[in-house]
Amino acid sequence: MRRTPEPYLWLLFSGGGVVAALVLPVLVLLFGVLMPLGVVDWPTAGHLGALVGNVVVRVVLLVVVVLCLFHAAHRIRFTSEELLGIARFDPIIAVLCYGGAIAGGVIAATLMV
């Protein structure tokens, strides 16, 4: 039986979906609605620096970014193949999508270090 990476890609897709559904709405609510309306005070640069200075917070942010990138890559891959009818180019599209997600993850990791 031939092994494929598809189960792992679906795992990253579902993990990214959960993260995107749970974390991103909170961030949009905080930074996009509550802080601009003055309901919640804006954090100072010192507070954000202290928060991001913690290694655990950096790792969590990196995991959130990487999972969201893989979720987006998986959606773009299958949506483009179905809507545009280009499923015959699946290996190329997969390499482009997941390669972009890996590159984005490397860039995010570089920025977090």
Side-chain angles (χ1 to χ4, degrees):
M1 183 174 178
R2 184 174 169 250
R3 293 185 179 208
T4 66
E6 287 296 323
Y8 303 108
L9 296 175
W10 280 99
L11 179 67
L12 289 171
F13 169 73
S14 63
V18 169
V19 167
L22 294 178
V23 175
L24 293 182
V26 173
L27 292 176
V28 169
L29 179 67
L30 281 174
F31 291 99
V33 178
L34 296 178
M35 289 180 188
L37 292 177
V39 176
V40 178
D41 292 333
W42 287 94
T44 63
H47 287 120
L48 285 178
L51 182 66
V52 178
N54 189 342
V55 174
V56 175
V57 172
R58 287 183 181 190
V59 170
V60 168
L61 287 174
L62 180 63
V63 168
V64 167
V65 168
V66 168
L67 287 177
C68 288
L69 285 173
F70 270 96
H71 181 78
H74 203 75
R75 276 199 186 273
I76 291 170
R77 174 187 173 193
F78 284 103
T79 301
S80 64
E81 288 179 7
E82 294 296 325
L83 288 181
L84 302 176
I86 53 175
R88 63 183 178 274
F89 300 115
D90 179 57
I92 296 169
I93 295 170
V95 167
L96 288 175
C97 291
Y98 299 124
I102 290 170
V106 169
I107 290 170
T110 304
L111 293 175
M112 296 286 176
V113 174

